[in-house]
Amino acid sequence: MGVELENSNCTNLVFTYGTLKRGFANHVLLQDLMRTGDAVFKGTYRTLQKYPLVCGPYRVPFLLNMAGSGLRVTGELYAVSARGLDRLDELEGTSCGHYELRPIHLTPAGEEELLPCAAQAYYAHKSYEEEMWKRNGRKGFGVYSEKEAKGYVKRKDRPQNLSFLDHIRIFISPPSD
C-alpha cells in the first residue's frame, strides 16, 4: 500500500521513532541489519493519527498506544526481514513486557496527500502506558530529536541491579513523602 519492498526478504514494515533512528544510539542495529540485507530504509514517515511520544527513565522514548492524544509523530520507516524483526524484538524487550509491536498507519513526511501505509511500531507496554502518560504531564512531542535525547543513558551504562521494568516502575511511581 504505497511502499515498495526492494528486498523480497524484508516484508515487515517497522516505524522507528526514537533511538533506532539515524544518528541515535541504537541505530547501529539497523545499520548491521542493512549490511546483511535484513533491513531497507524506506524514508521519513509521519503517523496518520496523533499519538503520545514521551520519555521515560534514562530519556528512553516511548510511543503510547493512545491514538488521538499527543501529536502526529515523525520517524523512519524500515522494511525488515523476519530475522531482522527478531533482533528488533530482542532489543525492544517484547518478551519481557517492555514494548509491544502493534499496527500503525503512516504517510510519507511532507507528502500527506499520498495513500497511507500500514506498518508496525514498538509501543510502550499497555501495563504502564497510562502511568507513563500521566508522569509526562500528558504532554508529548512530535519528534524524538537531540533535544529530547539529551541525557539518554545507554543500556550498558544503566544500573544493572534492577530490570528495565523496575526502572520504569520507579519512574512512574508517585514521589514518596
Side-chain angles (χ1 to χ4, degrees):
M1 211 158 68
V3 177
E4 292 180 32
L5 305 174
E6 291 110 29
N7 183 335
S8 60
N9 293 327
C10 297
T11 57
N12 303 287
L13 292 173
V14 178
F15 178 66
T16 65
Y17 52 82
T19 62
L20 282 166
K21 294 188 316 180
R22 294 172 295 176
F24 292 91
N26 289 321
H27 186 67
V28 294
L29 173 57
L30 279 167
Q31 287 175 314
D32 183 44
L33 293 175
M34 287 187 279
R35 262 193 305 277
T36 60
D38 289 299
V40 177
F41 175 71
K42 304 308 295 178
T44 301
Y45 279 70
R46 197 167 171 214
T47 59
L48 197 56
Q49 293 183 286
K50 294 176 180 180
Y51 287 93
L53 176 58
V54 298
C55 282
Y58 307 109
R59 302 299 295 166
V60 172
F62 292 90
L63 185 64
L64 308 180
N65 191 15
M66 303 166 93
S69 298
L71 302 167
R72 290 184 63 200
V73 176
T74 301
E76 297 174 353
L77 185 65
Y78 291 85
V80 299
S81 69
R83 191 176 86 158
L85 194 60
D86 287 345
R87 293 204 40 213
L88 290 172
D89 283 350
E90 183 181 334
L91 174 79
E92 301 293 4
T94 57
S95 65
C96 310
H98 300 172
Y99 290 87
E100 299 176 299
L101 190 61
R102 302 182 52 110
I104 196 162
H105 290 90
L106 311 165
T107 58
E111 300 179 48
E112 276 76 11
E113 72 282 355
L114 295 178
L115 284 176
C117 73
Q120 299 179 86
Y122 289 96
Y123 293 92
H125 193 274
K126 64 182 169 246
S127 65
Y128 61 82
E129 72 181 354
E130 180 62 40
E131 290 81 9
M132 187 70 73
W133 186 222
K134 285 182 199 166
R135 173 66 167 78
N136 279 273
R138 298 188 185 278
K139 289 188 170 68
F141 37 90
V143 63
Y144 185 76
S145 68
E146 287 182 25
K147 176 185 166 198
E148 287 76 26
K150 189 170 175 57
Y152 174 79
V153 178
K154 292 181 181 179
R155 186 175 296 175
K156 68 178 181 58
D157 298 327
R158 298 175 196 156
Q160 300 297 308
N161 60 325
L162 297 172
S163 73
F164 188 54
L165 280 179
D166 290 333
H167 290 289
I168 291 170
R169 286 186 199 104
I170 292 166
F171 180 81
I172 62 176
S173 65
S176 55
D177 297 332

